[in-house]
């Protein structure tokens, strides 16, 4: 039985390490993600997500969010902040029915969109998702 204890301890250490690895992979990745024309994949509300937007020529850019709750309720709401390459705020949204729209003429450059998930009462809800639609003209 004395030999079983070190083997058991090694086995438990391995199991715990694998468990921590799988938990880490389940944690949300808040970006930065690339924001391009079209629709983004759906994302779980996870605090603040960051998106990189590169504008090559002066363009009218419109970004719409659409959130939903898979549990049948209403989603908690989204707001956004658009920053230029120096980190200055270009525009920010206020809550508007749970979703947001940004529509601006942007000069060439790099921008960062911060999508803020607003949670009712600070609760973490694993049933709130959103997607973004971007148009560049």
């Amino acid at each position: 039985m004395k030999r079983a204890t070190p083997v058991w301890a090694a086995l438990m250490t391995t199991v715990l390490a694998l468990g921590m690895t799988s938990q880490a992979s389940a944690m949300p990745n808040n970006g930065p993600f690339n924001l391009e024309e079209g629709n983004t994949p759906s994302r779980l509300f996870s605090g603040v997500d960051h998106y990189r937007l590169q504008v090559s020529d002066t363009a009218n850019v419109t970004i719409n969010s659409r959130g939903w709750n898979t549990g049948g309720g209403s989603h908690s709401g989204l707001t956004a902040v658009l920053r230029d390459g120096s980190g200055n705020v270009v525009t920010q949204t206020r809550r508007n029915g749970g979703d947001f729209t940004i529509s601006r003429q942007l000069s060439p450059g790099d921008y960062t969109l911060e999508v803020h998930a607003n949670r009712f009462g600070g609760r973490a809800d694993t049933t709130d998702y959103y997607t973004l639609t971007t148009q560049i003209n």
Side-chain angles (χ1 to χ4, degrees):
M1 281 309 244
K2 290 183 181 179
R3 289 186 186 193
T5 301
V7 171
W8 180 252
L11 178 63
M12 290 306 296
T13 301
T14 302
V15 168
L16 289 172
L18 289 173
M20 286 186 225
T21 302
S22 67
Q23 282 183 340
S25 66
M27 292 180 170
N29 176 359
N30 295 336
F33 308 105
N34 288 325
L35 186 61
E36 299 171 351
E37 192 160 22
N39 295 324
T40 64
S42 62
R43 298 210 28 92
L44 180 67
F45 279 30
S46 61
V48 180
D49 291 333
H50 296 87
Y51 292 85
R52 245 186 324 240
L53 173 64
Q54 294 179 323
V55 178
S56 55
D57 295 314
T58 299
N60 294 316
V61 177
T62 302
I63 305 167
N64 292 299
S65 72
R66 185 179 73 78
W68 67 93
N69 181 293
T70 59
S74 60
H75 73 85
S76 301
L78 296 165
T79 57
V81 177
L82 181 65
R83 297 182 184 274
D84 65 17
S86 299
N88 300 311
V89 174
V90 175
T91 189
Q92 58 188 5
T93 65
R94 304 243 186 285
R95 191 156 184 207
N96 180 17
D99 293 313
F100 69 81
T101 297
I102 290 178
S103 186
R104 297 283 298 216
Q105 184 177 53
L106 299 178
S107 300
D110 295 327
Y111 296 86
T112 300
L113 178 70
E114 300 171 359
V115 177
H116 297 259
N118 305 313
R119 297 190 171 132
F120 294 136
R123 68 176 168 81
D125 192 342
T126 59
T127 60
D128 284 345
Y129 290 84
Y130 75 92
T131 188
L132 302 176
T133 301
T134 305
Q135 295 175 327
I136 303 172
N137 299 317

